[in-house]
Amino acid sequence: MKDDFKNILAINFGGIGDEIFFLPTLISLKKEFPNSKITLALEPRSKSVKDLTDVIDDLFLIDVKGKNKYFELLKLIFLARKGNFGKNFDIVISSGGNKLISLLLFLMGIKKRYGYESGKLSRKLLTKAIPLNKDQYACDMYHDLISAITNHKTSLPEINVVPQSKIPNSVLIHPGVSRLSVEKGMIKTIPAKIWAETIDILIERGKKVILVGGPDDKECIETIRATVKNKNFEDYYGKTKSLKDLAELISRAEIFICSDSAPLHVAVALKTKTYAIFGPTDDKKLIPKADFVTAIKAQDSCPIKPCLWEHRQITCEKLDCLNISSQYIADRISL
């Protein structure tokens, strides 16, 4: 039966973090069908995920967040019907929860179609409509999509990074979040001033602090540089030219501190000892139950925390959930 599934199309739209969450699903598919070719349809902004893994053989770049969303979806239907690697697709898997996803997959003309259950249409048009359980770690939520296809279970993301020697006594700090989340009013991390104070405390305690960030973090990094009192830290901002470069640096750190952002999920894949700042989002859905990753959260009494996605689409103005002191962060790391 495995010979029937050599050409697989997987569809997962979202940021780079979403694509890393999706990797265990693709890895399990590759284990079940080792001779398969996997094509991943994703947003252009997340294409660097292919640099982290060997299980993705090709990409379809579909800009569903751009001005020509419906043209892009038509392009995806065309590419799906055309096939890849000189062969039609045998199976398609989509993570989308929209009620029209099942129709989209049906129009692709692919024989085996798997997606989330979203009503009568999904049950009629999909080979298997999978119940969508959002109350679990995101990797497990995506992995449910292939529960009818394989008994293999890959619990955590796995990425291709050559093991690196650890920098003794090192603490790597990545303070930023994506520019898109900031523009949409999704404040998910502490102010740059608190990051700067944290660096000062860690240096005072004898830690070798390394600061890193991507292009989206320029303003945050510049504020940290201007605010931090002890300049005795390594500034790696601008020195990591790709997601793979950042992954290699994370693998060298003894401790990694970050926000709720894509680098967190890279660190999880590498099993680097990680402390992540969480405010309005749900750490139980975004990090696994593992002793190498810890959520640092405010000791506030907000009755609807976590609220982002659960109760609202943007962060509230109070931000009590991000009232986390530098002293508290440094003390948690020292435990």
Side-chain angles (χ1 to χ4, degrees), residues 316-327:
C316 72
E317 295 180 1
K318 291 183 178 180
L319 288 179
D320 289 342
C321 62
L322 285 169
N323 186 16
I324 307 171
S325 72
S326 54
Q327 189 71 48

Side-chain angles (χ1 to χ4, degrees), residues 123-135:
R123 294 192 293 272
K124 183 175 180 62
L125 298 181
L126 297 178
T127 303
K128 181 70 174 179
I130 310 298
L132 174 57
N133 176 11
K134 293 183 177 180
D135 293 324

Side-chain angles (χ1 to χ4, degrees), residues 72 149 311:
E72 291 290 308
I149 303 173
H311 301 282

Side-chain angles (χ1 to χ4, degrees), residues 172 174 211-215 236-250:
L172 177 65
H174 190 296
L211 180 65
V212 70
Y236 264 68
Y237 178 71
K239 294 182 181 179
T240 52
K241 303 299 183 181
S242 67
L243 188 60
K244 186 75 172 287
D245 286 349
L246 176 61
E248 290 177 351
L249 182 59
I250 292 173

Side-chain angles (χ1 to χ4, degrees), residues 85-298:
F85 304 105
K87 185 180 183 300
N88 291 334
F89 287 111
D90 302 296
I91 182 171
V92 59
I93 299 159
S94 175
S95 66
N98 189 289
K99 290 186 177 182
L100 295 178
I101 289 294
S102 55
L103 179 59
L104 178 72
L105 301 190
F106 178 77
L107 292 174
M108 293 176 179
I110 300 172
K111 185 177 180 180
K112 299 291 185 179
R113 303 177 295 276
Y114 296 86
Y116 290 123
E117 200 279 329
S118 59
K120 291 182 180 180
L121 194 63
S122 66
R123 294 192 293 272
K124 183 175 180 62
L125 298 181
L126 297 178
T127 303
K128 181 70 174 179
I130 310 298
L132 174 57
N133 176 11
K134 293 183 177 180
D135 293 324
Q136 58 179 329
Y137 180 41
C139 287
D140 295 330
M141 179 187 72
Y142 287 144
H143 206 283
D144 286 346
L145 287 165
I146 58 171
S147 58
I149 303 173
T150 178
N151 290 322
H152 286 287
K153 179 60 189 290
T154 307
S155 297
L156 296 175
E158 299 170 10
I159 60 177
N160 292 341
V161 171
V162 177
Q164 305 287 315
S165 298
K166 294 291 185 181
I167 302 170
N169 204 33
S170 58
V171 178
L172 177 65
I173 294 179
H174 190 296
V177 295
S178 72
R179 183 178 301 163
L180 183 61
S181 65
V182 175
E183 290 174 352
K184 289 187 173 182
M186 303 171 192
I187 309 303
K188 298 192 293 181
T189 192
I190 54 178
K193 176 179 178 291
I194 302 299
W195 284 113
E197 291 174 359
T198 302
I199 291 173
D200 281 328
I201 294 172
L202 292 174
I203 293 174
E204 184 180 336
R205 294 183 180 181
K207 296 294 185 181
K208 181 180 178 61
V209 177
I210 305 167
L211 180 65
V212 70
D216 287 0
D217 309 317
K218 182 179 179 181
E219 183 178 347
C220 177
I221 295 291
E222 288 178 347
T223 302
I224 291 172
R225 286 169 171 170
T227 307
V228 70
K229 295 177 181 178
N230 194 325
K231 308 296 182 182
N232 190 27
F233 66 91
E234 288 196 42
D235 192 341
Y236 264 68
Y237 178 71
K239 294 182 181 179
T240 52
K241 303 299 183 181
S242 67
L243 188 60
K244 186 75 172 287
D245 286 349
L246 176 61
E248 290 177 351
L249 182 59
I250 292 173
S251 73
R252 296 178 62 200
E254 286 192 349
I255 293 174
F256 181 51
I257 313 175
C258 61
S259 307
D260 169 17
S261 60
L264 164 61
H265 312 307
V266 173
V268 168
L270 295 168
K271 296 183 174 62
T272 294
K273 185 66 175 177
T274 299
Y275 295 86
I277 305 297
F278 273 90
T281 51
D282 192 345
D283 60 292
K284 294 180 180 63
K285 298 178 182 179
L286 298 172
I287 58 175
K289 294 179 180 178
D291 57 7
F292 60 84
V293 57
T294 300
I296 296 181
K297 299 184 286 186

